Amino acid sequence: MFRTALRNVLAHKARLLMTMFAVLLGVAFVVGTLVFTDTVGNAYKERYLTTLRNVSVQATPPFDEKAGEPGTVGEDTLRRLQRLPGVASVTGSVEGAAAVAAKDGHPLGEDDVTMAGNYFPQADGKDNRHPLTAGRAPTGPDEVLVDTSTADQGGYKVGDTVRLAVDGPVLHKKLVGIVRTDDTSGSGGTLVLFDDATAQKLLLKPGHYDAVSLEADRGASEQRLAAEARDLLPENSEINTGAQLRAQQQADAAEGAKGLSQVLLAFAAIALFVGIFVIGNTFTMLVTQRSQEMALMRAVGAERRQVTRSVLIEAALLGLCAGAAGFLLGIGVAMGIRQLFASTGSGFPDGPLVVAPGTVLVSFLVGVVVTMLAAYLPARRAAAVPPVAAMSALHTPPPVRSLRRRNAIGVALIVIGVLGVVFTASSGEEGRTTVLFPSVLLLIGIIVVTPALSGPAIALAGPLLRRFGVPGTLAPRNARRNPRRTASTASALMIGLSLVTGLTVVAVSATTSLRQRAENTVTADFEISSRSSGHLPASVHDTLAKSTAVTSSSPRRESAVGIGGDEVNLTGVDARSIGDLLDPSFVSGSLAALGAGGGKNLLIDTSTADIYGWTMGQRVPVVYGDGSRGTLRIGGIYRSDEFLPATMIPLATLQPHLKKIEDTSVLVHTKDGDGETVRRSLQRALDQNPLIRLRNTDDLAESAGGESITLLLNVLYGLLAMAVVIAVLGVVNTLAMSVFERTREIGMLRAVGLQPEQTKRMIHLESVLISLFGALLGIGAGIFLGWAAGRLASDSIQGYEMVIPWGRIAVALAGAALVGVVAGLWPARRAARLNVLTALKAD
């Protein structure tokens, strides 16, 4: 039976090629995921071994509750640590943020990844944390270093003048060197290093460090050194040995890689699931075409299980070939995934590809198991055909009872799935973990009843195709001839498009809701804030208020106050102009209350009211940051919104109690709106400061999640594309084998006058019908699943409303039609080129 199976594979290798390619793609996705995650894990391991190679002990002082700021380590402490026995060197770290501009003036780096620090040279004049690749170390306040990523992004080289800002005006520093670092590599971030004294002055305070690390002499114990250092460091400092740091960071990296691996493997499973339809279809058609051959085997003594085994051996051989090719392609997929994440600023470190022995084994196991699983039912059908009936070429259709039973099961699964999805979608956050199960049941139910749906659905398209003449009449009949085969081919495309549609509905609905809420809530044209998540100097608002382009403006200044034993953050705004800049949705009261009551009215959102139990008109005693006391009245309660502060108080009331005048942001309204011309005008007024970020309502919506949603959606589209490609291969494979199956019929049509171009058109129309049928099923299921996912997401996305992206759905349908045209090219060409006499003599 093995020799028979091998001969059958070799005899039908052309027909099995597309099937093998479908399995190959799924295997490649699995292998690529495993290789990628192993590579990332190994790169992180090597990175931490390198960056922490010279760290034996690391200490971070506790937060200073009295000063309300992080603790520090003084220079005198560093000198005492240096004198400890077994200490080779001590390094003090200063960390902060500094926004950098490129040579052309535009800001560099992603928000919140604008890093800054100190270059701490040891006895040899080098800082082991930041190896120099060019130039020298900074020696004064007017010199800086940048990392290779920042230099590349900004177009800088040694000797250039770098424009940057820490927490105030633009600074101009000479670039004296470039360092190599893994901290910002691939993440789109920037790094600026100052000499020790300058870093302390700009980022912390003179003579102090954020943290300290010790390098031990060869043979010295890290644990003993940590114990001795504890006595010299501030009480309750966090102290870790180098071994502990490396282990912890490697564990964190492994956990992150594991989560990513699970997501990628889920999409690989979807691709393989789609491939099962292609494989099952192929072997069903092959078994049907070889029914007489198998009947002959039964007649000469082969048992049913031997026939089944023969088909399964064919599948196993196909799976082995697909596994081997998929393994090789998977290495390329791993490289592609790594490049994809690098382009999105993931920050994964570079490193050599790692191919574990287990990955090789998995590639062959997945290829063989998936192929044999898909071929099992066709193999059983092959063995069940009676020898006499098969030898007489009596191809009896499946009994009606079987189709009825299948339809009943499918309808039951759909009903259970729909009810389950509706129930879980209405159960809040609890449903997020359980909605997957009924969703799967629903998709399986649709797959099961698809043969029953295919006939009526394709029949509806019949009148539309009559304009194509005879090919338009024959195409729907051919597609309806074998509903099981048509359904199986369409189902593969349906799965991919249902997921794509569901994701699109949720993403478009979320981004539309965010944008509409931002436009309704923020009536200011621009919000000005710091790109480093810090504060803006008061001079920013003063400059904008003087600009002729600005009609109204208000700073937002915050201060923590004590109210009833709780610490509450109050936001001061300009009571006169805030009505032009914000439009909260009030439950009670209004913005006018800020200008009334002698400046003693406090506005709060509903979340704050719920937390503290405050009600409209209630008076609350306040202890300000400077120790003075007062009483505020709740003058209004508005609905919580991420675009609004949780509290608002007149700036004139809060400002006298502030220790330092600085703004969290500034809101401005301009004469000419929020266009790019106005944006550039305001940026020029602010000296093109790279620290300052101007955002209109569209930008605010993007930063609140819209940009992340769009990026995630594009990544998911890329991952699901594999499943769609496999589905397309299924359409090609089914049509090609169908043409072979109908060789004699096509020859008869040609003999009675059907022209080659008409033959091509008939196959193309059949392909388009199958593709559109699968697309419509997928889009319908996707919209429903998108609705359910949106209901679950509405708790975390305020104001979420479902939006059906009809434009994108139309594009998806057009794409499905195009898929049908492309998938039918080869089978149509093959059918049109059949020799009429040879085709008429075919069995």
Side-chain angles (χ1 to χ4, degrees), residues 471-486:
T473 303
L474 294 176
R477 294 180 182 177
N478 291 335
R480 294 170 57 192
R481 180 180 303 178
N482 192 327
R484 293 174 184 268
R485 182 186 303 166
T486 299

Side-chain angles (χ1 to χ4, degrees), residues 483-504:
R484 293 174 184 268
R485 182 186 303 166
T486 299
S488 181
T489 307
S491 294
L493 194 58
M494 182 269 289
I495 294 169
L497 283 180
S498 64
L499 296 175
V500 168
T501 303
L503 291 171
T504 302

Side-chain angles (χ1 to χ4, degrees), residues 34 75 147 277 347 438 465 674 702 794 842:
L34 296 176
E75 291 180 343
D147 70 322
F277 288 91
L465 298 180
D674 61 353
E702 290 292 314
S794 60

